């Protein structure tokens, strides 16, 4: 990534990575030894790289905020009782994020739809949501395969 683009990414992520309860995601394990916080950071970075690489025009701020908050469910899913995590957590993440942030419609859609097609009725409805959904699958696969 070009230096000025790297700088743009860092400025955007800086605005959200310490806000609300984002730092609390460090307390929860996502895959292997990777925390949910680090996972979300990686998804934000991968989303940004994807849109640069493919020259997709997006709202960079909404893309990064949505990506950083896409798994803002704030519990350890390995020991969580209740509905199946894969289906349920986008709803929990969106509800928590709405408590702490003023979210745009796009940001809400990014969080709500990122598990599509598992959550078949929660469909990505903007380029930003498609990118984050794909970046999440790339990052999750890498984390699961290589970071144990
Ligand atoms: Fe997720
Ligand atoms: Fe995720």
């Amino acid at each position: 990534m070009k230096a000025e683009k790297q700088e743009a990414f860092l400025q955007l992520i800086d605005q959200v990575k310490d806000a609300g309860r984002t730092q609390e995601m460090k307390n929860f394990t996502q895959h292997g030894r990777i925390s949910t916080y680090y996972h979300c950071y990686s998804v934000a970075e991968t989303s940004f790289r994807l849109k640069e690489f493919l020259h997709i025009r997006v709202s960079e701020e909404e893309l990064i905020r949505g990506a950083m908050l896409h798994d803002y469910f704030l519990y350890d899913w390995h020991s969580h009782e209740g509905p199946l995590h894969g289906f349920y957590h986008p709803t929990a993440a969106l509800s928590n994020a709405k408590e702490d942030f003023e979210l745009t419609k796009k940001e809400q859609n990014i969080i709500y739809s990122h598990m599509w097609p598992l959550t078949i009725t929660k469909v990505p409805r903007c380029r930003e949501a498609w990118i984050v959904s794909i970046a999440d699958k790339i990052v999750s696969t890498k984390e699961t395969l290589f970071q144990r």
Side-chain angles (χ1 to χ4, degrees):
M1 201 153 44
K2 285 186 196 151
E4 77 249 31
K5 278 289 149 193
Q6 182 71 26
E7 188 54 39
F9 169 75
L10 289 173
Q11 279 192 10
L12 289 169
I13 199 88
D14 271 354
Q15 290 168 24
V16 64
K17 74 180 177 50
D18 299 318
R21 288 171 281 172
T22 307
Q23 290 289 320
E24 283 184 30
M25 292 195 286
K26 286 182 174 170
N27 300 327
F28 307 116
T29 303
Q30 189 75 3
H31 304 113
R33 278 172 292 174
I34 307 290
S35 70
T36 304
Y37 174 89
Y38 188 76
H39 165 78
C40 289
Y41 192 103
S42 298
V43 170
E45 199 167 30
T46 301
S47 298
F48 199 85
R49 282 175 191 273
L50 266 180
K51 75 98 192 151
E52 279 296 302
F53 183 70
L54 299 172
H55 302 283
I56 304 171
R57 281 179 52 182
V58 297
S59 158
E60 293 183 352
E61 185 177 0
E62 289 170 297
L63 179 75
I64 299 305
R65 277 165 56 92
M68 193 66 216
L69 299 173
H70 83 278
D71 276 333
Y72 199 74
F73 48 84
L74 306 172
Y75 57 80
D76 190 333
W77 65 267
H78 301 81
S79 57
H80 190 71
E81 291 188 13
L84 279 175
H85 173 74
F87 294 94
Y88 165 74
H89 79 272
T91 307
L94 179 58
S95 153
N96 289 339
K98 275 177 160 174
E99 285 175 17
D100 298 350
F101 298 88
E102 288 280 342
L103 299 176
T104 66
K105 287 272 173 265
K106 269 187 192 176
E107 289 162 355
Q108 293 181 39
N109 183 239
I110 291 170
I111 298 169
Y112 192 62
S113 71
H114 78 268
M115 288 302 284
W116 191 89
L118 179 69
T119 53
I120 193 77
T121 57
K122 299 170 185 169
V123 183
R125 300 207 184 276
C126 55
R127 288 187 286 255
E128 291 81 354
W130 280 109
I131 292 170
V132 172
S133 175
I134 292 163
D136 184 45
K137 287 161 183 72
I138 294 170
V139 170
S140 297
T141 304
K142 273 196 204 167
E143 288 172 354
T144 304
L145 291 178
F146 304 118
Q147 306 286 334
R148 283 181 187 280

PDB file of all heavy atoms in Angstrom, residues 30 70-71 73 89 114-115 136, ligand 1:
ATOM      1  N   GLN A  30     -10.896 -14.644  19.494  1.00  0.00           N
ATOM      2  CA  GLN A  30     -11.667 -14.851  18.265  1.00  0.00           C
ATOM      3  C   GLN A  30     -11.337 -16.218  17.658  1.00  0.00           C
ATOM      4  O   GLN A  30     -12.127 -17.126  17.683  1.00  0.00           O
ATOM      5  CB  GLN A  30     -11.375 -13.716  17.270  1.00  0.00           C
ATOM      6  CG  GLN A  30     -12.280 -13.715  16.061  1.00  0.00           C
ATOM      7  CD  GLN A  30     -13.672 -13.198  16.380  1.00  0.00           C
ATOM      8  OE1 GLN A  30     -13.953 -12.776  17.501  1.00  0.00           O
ATOM      9  NE2 GLN A  30     -14.556 -13.250  15.414  1.00  0.00           N
ATOM     10  N   HIS A  70     -17.427  -4.653  13.401  1.00  0.00           N
ATOM     11  CA  HIS A  70     -18.298  -5.706  12.861  1.00  0.00           C
ATOM     12  C   HIS A  70     -18.499  -6.867  13.845  1.00  0.00           C
ATOM     13  O   HIS A  70     -19.522  -7.539  13.799  1.00  0.00           O
ATOM     14  CB  HIS A  70     -17.782  -6.218  11.505  1.00  0.00           C
ATOM     15  CG  HIS A  70     -16.702  -7.246  11.585  1.00  0.00           C
ATOM     16  ND1 HIS A  70     -15.377  -6.925  11.768  1.00  0.00           N
ATOM     17  CD2 HIS A  70     -16.760  -8.606  11.547  1.00  0.00           C
ATOM     18  CE1 HIS A  70     -14.670  -8.046  11.822  1.00  0.00           C
ATOM     19  NE2 HIS A  70     -15.464  -9.077  11.686  1.00  0.00           N
ATOM     20  N   ASP A  71     -17.535  -7.081  14.750  1.00  0.00           N
ATOM     21  CA  ASP A  71     -17.680  -8.150  15.762  1.00  0.00           C
ATOM     22  C   ASP A  71     -17.709  -7.577  17.178  1.00  0.00           C
ATOM     23  O   ASP A  71     -17.134  -8.134  18.115  1.00  0.00           O
ATOM     24  CB  ASP A  71     -16.533  -9.166  15.626  1.00  0.00           C
ATOM     25  CG  ASP A  71     -16.806 -10.231  14.576  1.00  0.00           C
ATOM     26  OD1 ASP A  71     -17.986 -10.518  14.313  1.00  0.00           O
ATOM     27  OD2 ASP A  71     -15.839 -10.777  14.007  1.00  0.00           O
ATOM     28  N   PHE A  73     -19.454  -7.744  19.643  1.00  0.00           N
ATOM     29  CA  PHE A  73     -20.470  -8.458  20.427  1.00  0.00           C
ATOM     30  C   PHE A  73     -20.078  -8.570  21.899  1.00  0.00           C
ATOM     31  O   PHE A  73     -20.914  -8.815  22.753  1.00  0.00           O
ATOM     32  CB  PHE A  73     -20.782  -9.836  19.819  1.00  0.00           C
ATOM     33  CG  PHE A  73     -19.574 -10.667  19.460  1.00  0.00           C
ATOM     34  CD1 PHE A  73     -18.953 -11.438  20.411  1.00  0.00           C
ATOM     35  CD2 PHE A  73     -19.069 -10.659  18.158  1.00  0.00           C
ATOM     36  CE1 PHE A  73     -17.830 -12.205  20.085  1.00  0.00           C
ATOM     37  CE2 PHE A  73     -17.945 -11.434  17.823  1.00  0.00           C
ATOM     38  CZ  PHE A  73     -17.322 -12.201  18.792  1.00  0.00           C
ATOM     39  N   HIS A  89     -24.479 -13.354  16.515  1.00  0.00           N
ATOM     40  CA  HIS A  89     -23.571 -12.280  16.933  1.00  0.00           C
ATOM     41  C   HIS A  89     -23.634 -10.991  16.112  1.00  0.00           C
ATOM     42  O   HIS A  89     -23.351  -9.927  16.672  1.00  0.00           O
ATOM     43  CB  HIS A  89     -22.126 -12.795  17.065  1.00  0.00           C
ATOM     44  CG  HIS A  89     -21.389 -12.935  15.781  1.00  0.00           C
ATOM     45  ND1 HIS A  89     -21.411 -14.055  15.022  1.00  0.00           N
ATOM     46  CD2 HIS A  89     -20.578 -12.069  15.123  1.00  0.00           C
ATOM     47  CE1 HIS A  89     -20.653 -13.892  13.949  1.00  0.00           C
ATOM     48  NE2 HIS A  89     -20.135 -12.688  13.979  1.00  0.00           N
ATOM     49  N   HIS A 114     -22.465  -8.955   7.899  1.00  0.00           N
ATOM     50  CA  HIS A 114     -21.133  -9.460   7.558  1.00  0.00           C
ATOM     51  C   HIS A 114     -21.048 -10.985   7.507  1.00  0.00           C
ATOM     52  O   HIS A 114     -20.130 -11.527   6.914  1.00  0.00           O
ATOM     53  CB  HIS A 114     -20.051  -8.882   8.497  1.00  0.00           C
ATOM     54  CG  HIS A 114     -19.975  -9.510   9.856  1.00  0.00           C
ATOM     55  ND1 HIS A 114     -20.661  -9.033  10.936  1.00  0.00           N
ATOM     56  CD2 HIS A 114     -19.282 -10.592  10.306  1.00  0.00           C
ATOM     57  CE1 HIS A 114     -20.392  -9.783  11.988  1.00  0.00           C
ATOM     58  NE2 HIS A 114     -19.560 -10.743  11.640  1.00  0.00           N
ATOM     59  N   MET A 115     -21.997 -11.693   8.125  1.00  0.00           N
ATOM     60  CA  MET A 115     -21.947 -13.162   8.090  1.00  0.00           C
ATOM     61  C   MET A 115     -22.654 -13.768   6.878  1.00  0.00           C
ATOM     62  O   MET A 115     -22.679 -14.982   6.713  1.00  0.00           O
ATOM     63  CB  MET A 115     -22.549 -13.752   9.374  1.00  0.00           C
ATOM     64  CG  MET A 115     -21.691 -13.577  10.609  1.00  0.00           C
ATOM     65  SD  MET A 115     -20.048 -14.315  10.457  1.00  0.00           S
ATOM     66  CE  MET A 115     -20.450 -16.058  10.661  1.00  0.00           C
ATOM     67  N   ASP A 136     -13.670 -10.339   6.016  1.00  0.00           N
ATOM     68  CA  ASP A 136     -13.856 -11.139   7.242  1.00  0.00           C
ATOM     69  C   ASP A 136     -13.604 -12.621   6.959  1.00  0.00           C
ATOM     70  O   ASP A 136     -12.979 -13.324   7.762  1.00  0.00           O
ATOM     71  CB  ASP A 136     -15.282 -10.929   7.763  1.00  0.00           C
ATOM     72  CG  ASP A 136     -15.534 -11.654   9.084  1.00  0.00           C
ATOM     73  OD1 ASP A 136     -14.670 -11.583   9.975  1.00  0.00           O
ATOM     74  OD2 ASP A 136     -16.588 -12.287   9.219  1.00  0.00           O
TER      75      ASP A 136
HETATM   76 FE1  LIG B   1     -18.449 -11.981  12.911  1.00  0.00          FE
END
